[in-house]
Amino acid sequence: MAGVTRVLIVDDDALVRSGLTMMLDGAPGIAVVGQAGDRDEVPAALDAHPADVVLMDIRMPRLNGILATHRTRARPNPPEVVVLTTFDTDENVLRALRAGASGFLLKDAPPVEIADAVRRVAAGDPILSPRITRRLMDRAAVEAGSYERARAAFAALSPREHEVALGVGRGLTNAEIAAELFLSVATVKAHITRILSKLDAGNRTQIALMAHDAGFC
């Protein structure tokens, strides 16, 4: 399946799983390789059907998708995780992002948008809509001590790494950061690799969240 983005769909609603499967299987370059109806089914599903991206329902009967996201991202060579939400009712999206999710999608998003999001996340470009992400971050309660921890972590970055991290925090792509800072895309990628290590972050989304916690974005 070279060149094809493999997707695992996790949702307790069989109708939603079927709809997403039909939608994504018809999209170029995407194949749904498996489904799971509960967070406890995810490890076995991934063992049987390795995936590049997991679409994770944030609300499931026994426990929401936050723990499942954390466990999925803790696997060796983990797939990217995108949480599915209704936005207006879900207060746990920020917690899912902190658990390692690469972004989130609204369940009523147009099919083309969902397919594009899957491709972007698989390519390492998180789904960070500036408008919706800002609203989520602003309405979420900041964890105690997160400002101090984030400021201390950012102090370890070089000036250039700091600039790149702020670009990530603003939701810019590697190409956009490169153009803004007059760098090559390869150099931006190298900076991001070092930033991930210095901040002990699992992905770009967590860099963005730390930038927000530190008050830089």
Side-chain angles (χ1 to χ4, degrees):
M1 299 181 68
V4 175
T5 299
R6 302 165 298 177
V7 178
L8 174 71
I9 297 173
V10 183
D11 197 296
D12 65 294
D13 189 326
L15 186 60
V16 171
R17 294 198 306 272
S18 297
L20 287 170
T21 297
M22 292 178 60
M23 177 195 311
L24 292 174
D25 264 343
I30 297 176
V32 177
V33 295
Q35 299 181 16
D38 184 85
R39 58 130 181 148
D40 289 335
E41 299 175 12
V42 175
L46 285 172
D47 288 340
H49 309 288
D52 304 301
V53 177
V54 175
L55 292 182
M56 182 82 71
D57 184 13
I58 200 171
R59 292 194 168 199
M60 289 182 279
R62 290 198 290 175
L63 192 64
N64 60 38
I66 295 171
L67 180 57
T69 296
H70 178 76
R71 290 177 175 174
T72 297
R73 290 296 299 165
R75 293 171 60 93
N77 302 312
E80 301 292 341
V81 176
V82 176
V83 296
L84 296 170
T85 178
T86 54
F87 178 67
D88 287 334
T89 58
D90 288 332
E91 297 293 337
N92 292 320
V93 176
L94 187 57
R95 291 176 59 202
L97 296 177
R98 294 189 189 282
S102 293
F104 60 91
L105 287 173
L106 302 182
K107 283 191 173 182
D108 61 356
V112 172
E113 182 178 322
I114 293 177
D116 181 61
V118 167
R119 296 190 193 94
R120 285 179 54 191
V121 167
D125 186 12
I127 307 304
L128 288 173
S129 166
R131 179 179 62 85
I132 298 178
T133 301
R134 173 57 60 188
R135 287 176 62 188
L136 276 172
M137 288 180 171
D138 286 346
R139 70 187 282 180
V142 177
E143 296 176 4
S146 60
Y147 174 82
E148 290 78 9
R149 290 195 299 271
R151 281 278 174 165
F154 264 76
L157 302 182
S158 71
R160 181 61 86 185
E161 289 166 350
H162 186 95
E163 291 177 326
V164 172
L166 295 193
V168 173
R170 289 160 49 207
L172 302 182
T173 65
N174 288 347
E176 289 169 337
I177 295 172
E180 187 172 282
L181 299 180
F182 303 101
L183 301 172
S184 69
V185 172
T187 299
V188 171
K189 289 181 178 179
H191 280 308
I192 290 175
T193 297
R194 289 193 290 272
I195 292 167
L196 289 169
S197 177
K198 289 184 177 182
L199 298 184
D200 193 25
N203 56 31
R204 293 169 63 108
T205 305
Q206 291 182 338
I207 294 176
L209 291 172
M210 292 182 71
H212 171 78
D213 286 347
F216 293 129
C217 294

PDB file of all heavy atoms in Angstrom, residues 5 14 20-22 26 30 32 50 58 61 65 90 99 115-116 122 124 127 129 136 151 155 164 174-175 195:
ATOM      1  N   THR A   5      -2.440   6.339   2.504  1.00  0.00           N
ATOM      2  CA  THR A   5      -2.574   6.616   3.927  1.00  0.00           C
ATOM      3  C   THR A   5      -3.582   5.657   4.532  1.00  0.00           C
ATOM      4  O   THR A   5      -4.756   5.647   4.147  1.00  0.00           O
ATOM      5  CB  THR A   5      -3.036   8.069   4.165  1.00  0.00           C
ATOM      6  OG1 THR A   5      -2.061   8.972   3.635  1.00  0.00           O
ATOM      7  CG2 THR A   5      -3.211   8.339   5.652  1.00  0.00           C
ATOM      8  N   ALA A  14     -21.823   2.659  15.244  1.00  0.00           N
ATOM      9  CA  ALA A  14     -21.559   1.872  14.032  1.00  0.00           C
ATOM     10  C   ALA A  14     -21.928   2.634  12.768  1.00  0.00           C
ATOM     11  O   ALA A  14     -21.271   2.489  11.722  1.00  0.00           O
ATOM     12  CB  ALA A  14     -22.325   0.550  14.091  1.00  0.00           C
ATOM     13  N   LEU A  20     -18.002   7.095   7.770  1.00  0.00           N
ATOM     14  CA  LEU A  20     -16.623   7.541   7.575  1.00  0.00           C
ATOM     15  C   LEU A  20     -15.858   6.588   6.668  1.00  0.00           C
ATOM     16  O   LEU A  20     -15.052   7.015   5.836  1.00  0.00           O
ATOM     17  CB  LEU A  20     -15.920   7.664   8.924  1.00  0.00           C
ATOM     18  CG  LEU A  20     -16.325   8.849   9.805  1.00  0.00           C
ATOM     19  CD1 LEU A  20     -15.726   8.710  11.195  1.00  0.00           C
ATOM     20  CD2 LEU A  20     -15.882  10.162   9.170  1.00  0.00           C
ATOM     21  N   THR A  21     -16.122   5.294   6.821  1.00  0.00           N
ATOM     22  CA  THR A  21     -15.438   4.305   5.977  1.00  0.00           C
ATOM     23  C   THR A  21     -15.801   4.498   4.515  1.00  0.00           C
ATOM     24  O   THR A  21     -14.925   4.517   3.637  1.00  0.00           O
ATOM     25  CB  THR A  21     -15.801   2.880   6.425  1.00  0.00           C
ATOM     26  OG1 THR A  21     -15.341   2.672   7.764  1.00  0.00           O
ATOM     27  CG2 THR A  21     -15.155   1.843   5.513  1.00  0.00           C
ATOM     28  N   MET A  22     -17.086   4.646   4.236  1.00  0.00           N
ATOM     29  CA  MET A  22     -17.524   4.853   2.853  1.00  0.00           C
ATOM     30  C   MET A  22     -16.942   6.138   2.287  1.00  0.00           C
ATOM     31  O   MET A  22     -16.501   6.197   1.138  1.00  0.00           O
ATOM     32  CB  MET A  22     -19.047   4.887   2.790  1.00  0.00           C
ATOM     33  CG  MET A  22     -19.731   3.564   3.095  1.00  0.00           C
ATOM     34  SD  MET A  22     -21.531   3.700   3.057  1.00  0.00           S
ATOM     35  CE  MET A  22     -21.806   4.221   1.371  1.00  0.00           C
ATOM     36  N   GLY A  26     -13.423   6.119  -0.569  1.00  0.00           N
ATOM     37  CA  GLY A  26     -13.598   6.651  -1.915  1.00  0.00           C
ATOM     38  C   GLY A  26     -12.689   7.820  -2.226  1.00  0.00           C
ATOM     39  O   GLY A  26     -12.707   8.347  -3.340  1.00  0.00           O
ATOM     40  N   ILE A  30      -6.275   7.171   0.118  1.00  0.00           N
ATOM     41  CA  ILE A  30      -6.664   6.826   1.486  1.00  0.00           C
ATOM     42  C   ILE A  30      -7.344   5.470   1.495  1.00  0.00           C
ATOM     43  O   ILE A  30      -8.142   5.155   0.606  1.00  0.00           O
ATOM     44  CB  ILE A  30      -7.626   7.877   2.088  1.00  0.00           C
ATOM     45  CG1 ILE A  30      -6.930   9.236   2.195  1.00  0.00           C
ATOM     46  CG2 ILE A  30      -8.129   7.437   3.466  1.00  0.00           C
ATOM     47  CD1 ILE A  30      -7.846  10.350   2.685  1.00  0.00           C
ATOM     48  N   VAL A  32      -9.244   2.809   4.419  1.00  0.00           N
ATOM     49  CA  VAL A  32      -9.626   2.460   5.790  1.00  0.00           C
ATOM     50  C   VAL A  32      -9.275   0.993   5.999  1.00  0.00           C
ATOM     51  O   VAL A  32      -9.820   0.116   5.345  1.00  0.00           O
ATOM     52  CB  VAL A  32     -11.127   2.697   6.027  1.00  0.00           C
ATOM     53  CG1 VAL A  32     -11.517   2.245   7.442  1.00  0.00           C
ATOM     54  CG2 VAL A  32     -11.475   4.172   5.836  1.00  0.00           C
ATOM     55  N   PRO A  50      -2.059  -2.240  10.942  1.00  0.00           N
ATOM     56  CA  PRO A  50      -1.231  -1.038  11.161  1.00  0.00           C
ATOM     57  C   PRO A  50      -1.787   0.147  10.382  1.00  0.00           C
ATOM     58  O   PRO A  50      -2.166   0.020   9.218  1.00  0.00           O
ATOM     59  CB  PRO A  50       0.141  -1.466  10.637  1.00  0.00           C
ATOM     60  CG  PRO A  50       0.149  -2.955  10.791  1.00  0.00           C
ATOM     61  CD  PRO A  50      -1.269  -3.390  10.496  1.00  0.00           C
ATOM     62  N   ILE A  58     -13.895  11.227  20.655  1.00  0.00           N
ATOM     63  CA  ILE A  58     -13.466  11.665  21.981  1.00  0.00           C
ATOM     64  C   ILE A  58     -14.425  11.200  23.067  1.00  0.00           C
ATOM     65  O   ILE A  58     -14.075  11.156  24.243  1.00  0.00           O
ATOM     66  CB  ILE A  58     -13.321  13.199  22.016  1.00  0.00           C
ATOM     67  CG1 ILE A  58     -12.435  13.614  23.195  1.00  0.00           C
ATOM     68  CG2 ILE A  58     -14.673  13.876  22.096  1.00  0.00           C
ATOM     69  CD1 ILE A  58     -12.056  15.067  23.182  1.00  0.00           C
ATOM     70  N   PRO A  61     -18.558   5.134  25.428  1.00  0.00           N
ATOM     71  CA  PRO A  61     -19.326   4.761  26.619  1.00  0.00           C
ATOM     72  C   PRO A  61     -18.517   4.543  27.896  1.00  0.00           C
ATOM     73  O   PRO A  61     -18.798   5.152  28.919  1.00  0.00           O
ATOM     74  CB  PRO A  61     -20.014   3.461  26.185  1.00  0.00           C
ATOM     75  CG  PRO A  61     -20.090   3.558  24.711  1.00  0.00           C
ATOM     76  CD  PRO A  61     -18.841   4.277  24.290  1.00  0.00           C
ATOM     77  N   GLY A  65     -12.013   9.182  24.559  1.00  0.00           N
ATOM     78  CA  GLY A  65     -10.858   8.805  23.767  1.00  0.00           C
ATOM     79  C   GLY A  65      -9.539   9.384  24.226  1.00  0.00           C
ATOM     80  O   GLY A  65      -8.511   9.160  23.570  1.00  0.00           O
ATOM     81  N   ASP A  90     -18.051  19.245  23.668  1.00  0.00           N
ATOM     82  CA  ASP A  90     -16.875  18.547  24.181  1.00  0.00           C
ATOM     83  C   ASP A  90     -15.921  19.521  24.866  1.00  0.00           C
ATOM     84  O   ASP A  90     -15.424  20.448  24.244  1.00  0.00           O
ATOM     85  CB  ASP A  90     -16.132  17.812  23.064  1.00  0.00           C
ATOM     86  CG  ASP A  90     -16.886  16.582  22.575  1.00  0.00           C
ATOM     87  OD1 ASP A  90     -17.643  15.997  23.353  1.00  0.00           O
ATOM     88  OD2 ASP A  90     -16.712  16.244  21.407  1.00  0.00           O
ATOM     89  N   ALA A  99      -2.601  14.880  25.172  1.00  0.00           N
ATOM     90  CA  ALA A  99      -2.299  13.447  25.218  1.00  0.00           C
ATOM     91  C   ALA A  99      -1.565  12.980  23.976  1.00  0.00           C
ATOM     92  O   ALA A  99      -1.123  11.835  23.916  1.00  0.00           O
ATOM     93  CB  ALA A  99      -3.589  12.643  25.398  1.00  0.00           C
ATOM     94  N   ALA A 115     -11.066  14.200   4.422  1.00  0.00           N
ATOM     95  CA  ALA A 115     -10.040  13.502   3.643  1.00  0.00           C
ATOM     96  C   ALA A 115      -8.755  14.322   3.584  1.00  0.00           C
ATOM     97  O   ALA A 115      -7.648  13.783   3.736  1.00  0.00           O
ATOM     98  CB  ALA A 115     -10.551  13.214   2.233  1.00  0.00           C
ATOM     99  N   ASP A 116      -8.885  15.625   3.379  1.00  0.00           N
ATOM    100  CA  ASP A 116      -7.707  16.493   3.331  1.00  0.00           C
ATOM    101  C   ASP A 116      -6.996  16.507   4.679  1.00  0.00           C
ATOM    102  O   ASP A 116      -5.761  16.502   4.739  1.00  0.00           O
ATOM    103  CB  ASP A 116      -8.127  17.908   2.946  1.00  0.00           C
ATOM    104  CG  ASP A 116      -6.943  18.859   2.850  1.00  0.00           C
ATOM    105  OD1 ASP A 116      -6.057  18.617   2.014  1.00  0.00           O
ATOM    106  OD2 ASP A 116      -6.900  19.838   3.627  1.00  0.00           O
ATOM    107  N   ALA A 122      -1.096  12.821   8.117  1.00  0.00           N
ATOM    108  CA  ALA A 122      -0.174  11.749   7.738  1.00  0.00           C
ATOM    109  C   ALA A 122       1.148  12.316   7.235  1.00  0.00           C
ATOM    110  O   ALA A 122       2.208  11.695   7.394  1.00  0.00           O
ATOM    111  CB  ALA A 122      -0.807  10.858   6.667  1.00  0.00           C
ATOM    112  N   GLY A 124       2.516  14.940   8.422  1.00  0.00           N
ATOM    113  CA  GLY A 124       3.187  15.655   9.506  1.00  0.00           C
ATOM    114  C   GLY A 124       2.713  17.075   9.709  1.00  0.00           C
ATOM    115  O   GLY A 124       3.331  17.848  10.440  1.00  0.00           O
ATOM    116  N   ILE A 127      -3.666  19.383  12.267  1.00  0.00           N
ATOM    117  CA  ILE A 127      -4.874  20.130  11.979  1.00  0.00           C
ATOM    118  C   ILE A 127      -5.059  21.160  13.078  1.00  0.00           C
ATOM    119  O   ILE A 127      -5.562  20.873  14.159  1.00  0.00           O
ATOM    120  CB  ILE A 127      -6.098  19.193  11.919  1.00  0.00           C
ATOM    121  CG1 ILE A 127      -5.824  18.046  10.940  1.00  0.00           C
ATOM    122  CG2 ILE A 127      -7.341  19.966  11.504  1.00  0.00           C
ATOM    123  CD1 ILE A 127      -5.450  18.492   9.548  1.00  0.00           C
ATOM    124  N   SER A 129      -6.654  24.572  12.987  1.00  0.00           N
ATOM    125  CA  SER A 129      -7.388  25.718  12.459  1.00  0.00           C
ATOM    126  C   SER A 129      -7.216  26.886  13.419  1.00  0.00           C
ATOM    127  O   SER A 129      -7.585  26.787  14.587  1.00  0.00           O
ATOM    128  CB  SER A 129      -8.880  25.382  12.336  1.00  0.00           C
ATOM    129  OG  SER A 129      -9.628  26.548  12.149  1.00  0.00           O
ATOM    130  N   LEU A 136     -10.881  27.035  21.349  1.00  0.00           N
ATOM    131  CA  LEU A 136     -10.730  25.919  22.286  1.00  0.00           C
ATOM    132  C   LEU A 136      -9.749  26.267  23.388  1.00  0.00           C
ATOM    133  O   LEU A 136      -9.991  26.017  24.560  1.00  0.00           O
ATOM    134  CB  LEU A 136     -10.236  24.675  21.536  1.00  0.00           C
ATOM    135  CG  LEU A 136     -11.305  23.827  20.846  1.00  0.00           C
ATOM    136  CD1 LEU A 136     -10.645  22.769  19.991  1.00  0.00           C
ATOM    137  CD2 LEU A 136     -12.222  23.190  21.871  1.00  0.00           C
ATOM    138  N   ARG A 151       7.263  28.213  30.210  1.00  0.00           N
ATOM    139  CA  ARG A 151       8.294  29.256  30.137  1.00  0.00           C
ATOM    140  C   ARG A 151       9.680  28.661  30.384  1.00  0.00           C
ATOM    141  O   ARG A 151      10.652  28.996  29.688  1.00  0.00           O
ATOM    142  CB  ARG A 151       8.003  30.342  31.174  1.00  0.00           C
ATOM    143  CG  ARG A 151       6.929  31.312  30.762  1.00  0.00           C
ATOM    144  CD  ARG A 151       7.488  32.392  29.866  1.00  0.00           C
ATOM    145  NE  ARG A 151       6.454  33.263  29.331  1.00  0.00           N
ATOM    146  CZ  ARG A 151       6.700  34.433  28.760  1.00  0.00           C
ATOM    147  NH1 ARG A 151       7.939  34.864  28.647  1.00  0.00           N
ATOM    148  NH2 ARG A 151       5.725  35.167  28.265  1.00  0.00           N
ATOM    149  N   ALA A 155      12.832  28.363  27.617  1.00  0.00           N
ATOM    150  CA  ALA A 155      14.113  29.008  27.909  1.00  0.00           C
ATOM    151  C   ALA A 155      15.289  28.191  27.400  1.00  0.00           C
ATOM    152  O   ALA A 155      16.387  28.719  27.208  1.00  0.00           O
ATOM    153  CB  ALA A 155      14.251  29.236  29.415  1.00  0.00           C
ATOM    154  N   VAL A 164      10.956  29.468  15.341  1.00  0.00           N
ATOM    155  CA  VAL A 164      10.311  28.362  14.647  1.00  0.00           C
ATOM    156  C   VAL A 164       9.161  27.807  15.486  1.00  0.00           C
ATOM    157  O   VAL A 164       8.066  27.527  14.975  1.00  0.00           O
ATOM    158  CB  VAL A 164      11.331  27.248  14.324  1.00  0.00           C
ATOM    159  CG1 VAL A 164      10.622  26.002  13.779  1.00  0.00           C
ATOM    160  CG2 VAL A 164      12.363  27.743  13.319  1.00  0.00           C
ATOM    161  N   ASN A 174       5.509  24.025   7.580  1.00  0.00           N
ATOM    162  CA  ASN A 174       6.962  24.170   7.463  1.00  0.00           C
ATOM    163  C   ASN A 174       7.332  25.158   6.366  1.00  0.00           C
ATOM    164  O   ASN A 174       8.247  25.975   6.526  1.00  0.00           O
ATOM    165  CB  ASN A 174       7.605  22.805   7.175  1.00  0.00           C
ATOM    166  CG  ASN A 174       7.593  21.896   8.378  1.00  0.00           C
ATOM    167  OD1 ASN A 174       7.335  22.343   9.496  1.00  0.00           O
ATOM    168  ND2 ASN A 174       7.854  20.626   8.165  1.00  0.00           N
ATOM    169  N   ALA A 175       6.615  25.073   5.252  1.00  0.00           N
ATOM    170  CA  ALA A 175       6.913  25.970   4.128  1.00  0.00           C
ATOM    171  C   ALA A 175       6.645  27.427   4.494  1.00  0.00           C
ATOM    172  O   ALA A 175       7.410  28.323   4.131  1.00  0.00           O
ATOM    173  CB  ALA A 175       6.096  25.561   2.906  1.00  0.00           C
ATOM    174  N   ILE A 195      13.542  21.014  18.595  1.00  0.00           N
ATOM    175  CA  ILE A 195      12.547  21.599  19.505  1.00  0.00           C
ATOM    176  C   ILE A 195      11.742  20.503  20.197  1.00  0.00           C
ATOM    177  O   ILE A 195      11.504  20.557  21.411  1.00  0.00           O
ATOM    178  CB  ILE A 195      11.604  22.550  18.735  1.00  0.00           C
ATOM    179  CG1 ILE A 195      12.378  23.782  18.259  1.00  0.00           C
ATOM    180  CG2 ILE A 195      10.421  22.981  19.604  1.00  0.00           C
ATOM    181  CD1 ILE A 195      11.625  24.610  17.234  1.00  0.00           C
TER     182      ILE A 195
END
